[in-house]
Amino acid sequence: MIIVNLDVMMAKRKISLNELSEKVGITLANLSILKNNKAKAIRFSTLEAICRVLQCDVADILEYKPL
Amino acid sequence: MLKISKKASVNLSMILSSLFFVGLIAGAVAMPTFVNSIIELVYNPATFPAMDRAICLALAYLILVVCLTANCVIFALLKTVKSDNVFTPKSVSLIRAISWCCFLVGLLFLAVGYYFQLGFLIAFAAMFLGLCIRVVKNVIEQATEIKCENDLTV
């Protein structure tokens, strides 16, 4: 399964959910879905924006864990 | 062609459902007279056994109860449509319930067919309607899954 480590990266960058949602340009509700591992899919554009704002790689946010 | 707004259409359906409900209640009151007149139309009332008369009346009331249940479920479904929340698992189960009600009415009319042959025709129509509603349920079920996936795409 795919694990979203957004909270880890946010803690590393010391950025709040509100600030990230403003900078990325997606709603707080959608960002919460992503952060809480409830998302079923993520657009490349969203991923790109998150990586740009958090200055990280895709692998820092997404992780594959075999079941 | 007369075209009404989405909201007015839902309201109209709710009014029709309410009228149908009133009609069913009226039907419950008039049922013994109705069943008797149908029996008189087909059979000689003097030779028609009292037991069979009671069975016919029981079947008629059972059909009425199932129709009332289906009508209540339809009203609940219309409420979900009105609140713009139609593609949910709840709606799917409501549509499934309506479909089963149709199949049940079909089965009951099959039993009615033993006394009145027209019952077989109505049973076929009810079961076919049940099948159509079941297909709609399958479509809504798939649409619900797609909507859920779409909602959870960020």
Side-chain angles (χ1 to χ4, degrees):
Chain A
M1 67 185 291
I2 302 291
I3 307 284
V4 180
N5 290 320
L6 190 63
D7 45 355
V8 178
M9 276 315 293
M10 281 168 62
K12 277 184 188 170
R13 300 287 183 257
K14 294 188 175 73
I15 189 168
S16 71
L17 208 63
N18 271 318
E19 199 182 340
L20 186 63
S21 88
E22 270 173 34
K23 285 184 176 170
V24 171
I26 63 170
T27 62
L28 202 59
N30 272 344
L31 206 56
S32 290
I33 288 170
L34 191 62
K35 189 175 151 261
N36 297 324
N37 272 301
K38 295 241 171 77
K40 288 204 172 181
I42 179 166
R43 291 187 192 93
F44 282 165
S45 55
T46 310
L47 201 56
E48 193 186 333
I50 291 171
C51 287
R52 192 186 63 240
V53 171
L54 294 178
Q55 290 173 325
C56 64
D57 197 70
V58 174
D60 296 326
I61 299 168
L62 301 178
E63 181 192 347
Y64 171 66
K65 255 190 192 166
L67 282 170
Chain B
M1 203 176 118
L2 179 72
K3 196 166 166 31
I4 53 173
S5 71
K6 195 184 92 182
K7 203 173 176 182
S9 175
V10 175
N11 284 335
L12 182 66
S13 299
M14 283 180 118
I15 291 166
L16 287 174
S17 175
S18 307
L19 286 176
F20 201 75
F21 188 83
V22 174
L24 284 170
I25 297 295
V29 176
M31 194 58 85
T33 321
F34 180 70
V35 169
N36 276 336
S37 54
I38 294 280
I39 290 169
E40 281 167 21
L41 207 71
V42 182
Y43 296 99
N44 180 2
T47 57
F48 195 74
M51 183 68 180
D52 287 348
R53 191 183 293 266
I55 290 171
C56 285
L57 194 62
L59 280 172
Y61 271 114
L62 274 174
I63 289 167
L64 197 88
V65 167
V66 178
C67 286
L68 265 173
T69 311
N71 196 40
C72 291
V73 177
I74 286 170
F75 200 82
L77 185 65
L78 283 169
K79 270 167 78 176
T80 65
V81 174
K82 201 174 182 182
S83 60
D84 280 333
N85 203 16
V86 72
F87 293 108
T88 56
K90 189 190 162 198
S91 300
V92 174
S93 47
L94 288 175
I95 298 170
R96 186 189 290 121
I98 296 166
S99 154
W100 280 117
C101 283
C102 285
F103 281 120
L104 200 57
V105 166
L107 282 177
L108 289 168
F109 265 109
L110 268 185
V112 170
Y114 178 76
Y115 297 102
F116 310 99
Q117 283 194 335
L118 188 69
F120 289 123
L121 195 73
I122 301 171
F124 176 78
M127 284 188 178
F128 188 71
L129 185 66
L131 176 72
C132 293
I133 295 172
R134 198 159 177 81
V135 172
V136 171
K137 184 224 93 175
N138 291 336
V139 172
I140 298 284
E141 198 167 27
Q142 200 144 346
T144 305
E145 271 176 36
I146 292 169
K147 189 185 177 287
C148 175
E149 206 165 289
N150 201 35
D151 285 349
L152 292 175
T153 298
V154 290

